[in-house]
Every structure is written in structure tokens, then in C-alpha cells.
Amino acid sequence: MSVQLYFHCLVATLTLIMVDRQRAAKPPQTAQAHCIEGLLYWQLEQWPQAMACYKSAIAEFRAAHDLAGLGQTCCHLGSMMLQRHRYGAAQRWAEIAVYCLANAEGSTTVYGQTHYAAALHLLGQIHVYQGHYALAVQHIEQVLAIRHELRDEVGEALALVDLGRAYQAQDQYWYALACYEGALDIGQSLEAVFEGAWFEARVRRLMAKLCRTCGRWDLAIKHHLEALALGRANRHYPTG
């Protein structure tokens, strides 16, 4: 079965379940179903359908005064807008997500802090793409502090990469290099968690670019060749 057909089947199944349980389900349950359906349409790049599902979820989460569900849904929408390079819309959704998750019931729990950090990270990524690097650093440093407290090494590694990009864009090369090296150390120790060496390859490409900018062509070539080797060895894994 193709991936696209698989997602179509999931959407159809989820829709049937949703219709069957519509009357009996509490609003948050139905809203969560709309959110999942939106995610499936997003994966299929069916943007209008995804947006319609997310808006339905938002309306129901608002009616139920469920700030956590509302924040998570807005985070999905922000990520979708970022993928489509609609940075203004992405920022608005991410800011709403951060506000909702900061004020949601259970925001201080591990679960709440995990989602809050994800929304902050998204906002930091958006600022990087917009060229607002100081804001990006501010948000992503908060993410790092939360991820470290939660002992979430994967989250730390991902945040370090984006923090490095923000520093590099401001010509703060030593800070950027320290972030990339930190991410590389975590990635190498958690290769099984990252499902292959794609993450290390990504970081080494960034390090190669940084070394070229600094005029260290020997190190740039070294990291570039290592990234190529890792990419060939892990062709079936994502490279972004």
C-alpha cells in the first residue's frame, strides 16, 4: 500500500469513528479527533482540508475552555504555516500556542512543559527564518533550559542546532560552533533514538558551512565529506 493511500485510509477510518461518536463524545475528544484528522491531511499536503479540521478543533477546544488542546492545535497550525513559508501566519499561531500552553491547566507538569517547550521552539525557528535572530536566541535558550530540566536530550540536540543557526547568522561563530558540537555529541550518543545517522549528517553540513565562512577550508572539507558518507550510509533516513 502506498503512503498516500495509507493516509487516505486513516483519514476515512478516523472520520467514520468521529461521526459514530460525535453525539456521545465530550467536546475535547471530538476536538482531538479533528486535530488528528488535520494532521493527516497536512501530511497529504491537502492544505484546505487540514485547515478546516484544525479550525473545527480550535472552535471546540475554545468552547470547552481547554487551553492545552487549543495550544497544541495552534502549534500544529504554526508548523504547517512555517512549512508553507507563510512566516507571518506561522508567528501568530505560534504566539497563541505559547500563551495558551503557558496558562493551561497542568502547565507545570512534565507533559505541560514538554508541549510549552515545543511551542517556544517553533516560535524560535520562525524568528530564525524571519531574520529576528536576537528573539530566536532568547526563545531557544528558554527551550534548552526546559529540555535540560526535563532530561530530554533529543529536544536539547534539536534546540542546539537552531540556536547555532541563530548565532551563525549573527556572525557569532564560536557560539555557533559550540552549539553544533553539543548537538553532535548528543546525536552520536543517541544514534538509535534518531533512527540512523541523518541527524549527525545534518549537523556536519552546518559545521562545514560555518567552517567555509570562517575560511577553514580544511575543516569544511572534512565535515562535508563525513556528511556525504553518512548520507550514503543512511539513504533511507530523512536528511533535513
Side-chain angles (χ1 to χ4, degrees):
M1 181 184 291
S2 71
V3 173
Q4 199 166 60
L5 180 58
Y6 173 71
F7 275 120
H8 275 300
C9 290
L10 280 177
V11 170
T13 303
L14 183 58
T15 303
L16 288 173
I17 293 171
M18 233 172 43
V19 170
D20 184 56
R21 299 176 63 184
Q22 183 78 29
R23 293 183 179 179
K26 295 180 181 178
Q29 293 173 310
T30 313
Q32 190 62 43
H34 282 306
C35 193
I36 295 170
E37 188 180 12
L39 179 59
L40 295 174
Y41 277 123
W42 172 14
Q43 295 297 321
L44 291 168
E45 298 185 0
Q46 296 184 15
W47 314 115
Q49 295 92 327
M51 179 63 77
C53 291
Y54 283 134
K55 285 187 174 179
S56 295
I58 285 172
E60 295 194 22
F61 279 131
R62 277 179 174 165
H65 304 290
D66 185 341
L67 285 179
L70 183 59
Q72 291 167 35
T73 305
C74 291
C75 198
H76 285 194
L77 271 167
S79 297
M80 188 171 78
M81 292 298 107
L82 178 59
Q83 183 179 331
R84 300 185 68 192
H85 309 292
R86 295 179 56 184
Y87 301 128
Q91 180 178 340
R92 287 193 295 274
W93 287 117
E95 287 173 344
I96 295 171
V98 169
Y99 174 83
C100 290
L101 292 166
N103 293 280
E105 184 179 353
S107 61
T108 58
T109 65
V110 171
Y111 179 82
Q113 285 290 288
T114 297
H115 285 286
Y116 176 65
L120 267 180
H121 192 171
L122 173 62
L123 188 55
Q125 287 177 313
I126 293 165
H127 283 313
V128 171
Y129 282 103
Q130 291 177 313
H132 305 155
Y133 302 119
L135 283 173
V137 168
Q138 177 184 329
H139 290 308
I140 299 173
E141 283 185 341
Q142 286 182 262
V143 174
L144 273 175
I146 295 170
R147 296 296 191 191
H148 183 73
E149 186 176 347
L150 295 176
R151 300 180 184 274
D152 179 2
E153 290 186 295
V154 172
E156 279 190 76
L158 296 173
L160 280 168
V161 169
D162 287 319
L163 186 59
R165 291 171 56 214
Y167 279 131
Q168 185 172 344
Q170 298 178 90
D171 300 334
Q172 298 184 38
Y173 299 133
W174 287 112
Y175 286 115
L177 183 60
C179 290
Y180 293 150
E181 288 179 341
L184 191 62
D185 288 343
I186 296 173
Q188 288 174 331
S189 67
L190 298 177
E191 183 176 336
V193 178
F194 280 107
E195 298 183 338
W198 66 267
F199 180 76
E200 182 180 346
R202 178 191 177 194
V203 177
R204 287 198 181 278
R205 284 195 297 272
L206 289 168
M207 294 176 78
K209 182 179 179 181
L210 175 61
C211 291
R212 285 198 305 271
T213 302
C214 296
R216 291 299 307 270
W217 289 96
D218 53 337
L219 292 176
I221 292 170
K222 172 181 177 291
H223 288 301
H224 180 69
L225 291 176
E226 289 182 3
L228 284 177
L230 290 165
R232 282 194 297 267
N234 295 272
R235 284 191 296 270
H236 54 299
Y237 292 116
T239 57

